[in-house]
Structure formats: structure tokens, C-alpha cells
Amino acid sequence: MDMQDAAGHADEIMDATLASIDPAVQWAHGPTTTGSCDVTRRRSVMTVVSDQRRGSFLGLVERAWRKRDYRIKGVNNDQDSPAIYAQTSGGFGVSLIFGGGQAFFEVDSPCVEESEVVESTTPPNGPSYEGVYPLPRPNVHSDFWSAGAP
């Protein structure tokens, strides 16, 4: 597997994870980064997930990962920045982290053969924000996920 293959697999992991969230949330691509032999893909949730719904969101994702036989490596129960860290059987690190009121998904590959890496071809399910950095704060309302948010 080379870095481009790993990036594609990371996209598949995030596609499956985001597809398991019901009701669906809107997301946008975060930056892709590469190391000497690894690649990281990121996605930012653009739907407002209220403080009251964070636990449900984290629990739903954790159950989806366990169903795929991902090993849960850690859970951060911090009130402001809760997170879940998992690992696939193929050695990919998967995380869901809340920071500043926004949810972020990240998939890190294991060390693979060095290669060029192109941006993800998976279209976001909302605005692409292509060329916009940093991404805006969550700005999509959901009757369920945003319940109780100001």
C-alpha cells in the first residue's frame, strides 16, 4: 500500500463512519497532511452539535466503530473537548474530537510506501469551502443534533 492508497482507505473509513450517523450531519474536508511514510485525512462537521447532544453523537460513532471491529484505544470524557480514539485491524488510527464546539474526524495511516497524495475525491455533502482556511465554525442547524443550542 502506498500513501495514495492509504488516503483512499482513510476516505472509505470516514465515508462509512459519517454514513452511520442518523440523522445525517453536514461535513467539509479538512486539510490532508503527509509525513515521511504516513497520511492523515480530516473532515469537519459543519452541523451544530449541541452540548446536550454530544454524548449521543459520540456514543453513536463509538457503536459504529465497534460494529466494524475497531479497537477503542481511548475515550476523553472532558466536558469541553470530549473525544474517542480507535484503531482499525489494518492499523489506521481513527478519532472523533470535539474542540471549540465543533466535531472533527481524523484518520491516520500506518507507515506505508511513499508516494504523491491527491486531495480526496469524495464530495462533501454541503459547501466544499475549497480554498477557505480555516473553515468556518459549524453553521448548519439540525432539529436533532442542534437541539438546545443557542
Side-chain angles (χ1 to χ4, degrees), residues 41-141:
R41 290 279 211 217
R42 295 172 181 86
R43 293 188 185 172
S44 300
V45 175
M46 301 309 294
T47 300
V48 175
V49 178
S50 69
D51 291 347
Q52 295 87 339
R53 296 289 191 199
R54 279 188 194 164
S56 298
F57 192 86
L58 289 154
L60 190 145
V61 170
E62 182 177 351
R63 286 187 300 278
W65 287 350
R66 286 184 186 280
K67 190 174 183 179
R68 290 183 184 87
D69 292 324
Y70 295 179
R71 184 170 60 91
I72 304 301
K73 294 180 68 176
V75 175
N76 179 354
N77 290 318
D78 181 79
Q79 181 71 19
D80 296 322
S81 299
I84 305 170
Y85 305 93
Q87 188 171 34
T88 71
S89 60
F92 282 74
V94 186
S95 59
L96 165 58
I97 302 167
F98 275 88
Q102 189 165 17
F104 301 94
F105 287 96
E106 185 172 296
V107 177
D108 303 305
S109 79
C111 189
V112 295
E113 186 179 317
E114 187 177 3
S115 72
E116 291 294 316
V117 177
V118 299
E119 291 300 321
S120 177
T121 58
T122 304
N125 65 348
S128 72
Y129 298 105
E130 193 170 325
V132 176
Y133 186 80
L135 290 174
R137 306 300 311 143
N139 55 16
V140 177
H141 178 82

Side-chain angles (χ1 to χ4, degrees), residues 18-26 47 57 60 142-145:
L18 286 157
S20 70
I21 298 171
D22 186 28
V25 293
Q26 196 173 103
T47 300
F57 192 86
L60 190 145
S142 160
D143 288 343
F144 181 78
W145 294 118

Side-chain angles (χ1 to χ4, degrees), residues 1-4 35-37 112-116:
M1 178 180 287
D2 66 18
M3 292 168 77
Q4 181 59 52
S36 59
C37 69
V112 295
E113 186 179 317
E114 187 177 3
S115 72
E116 291 294 316

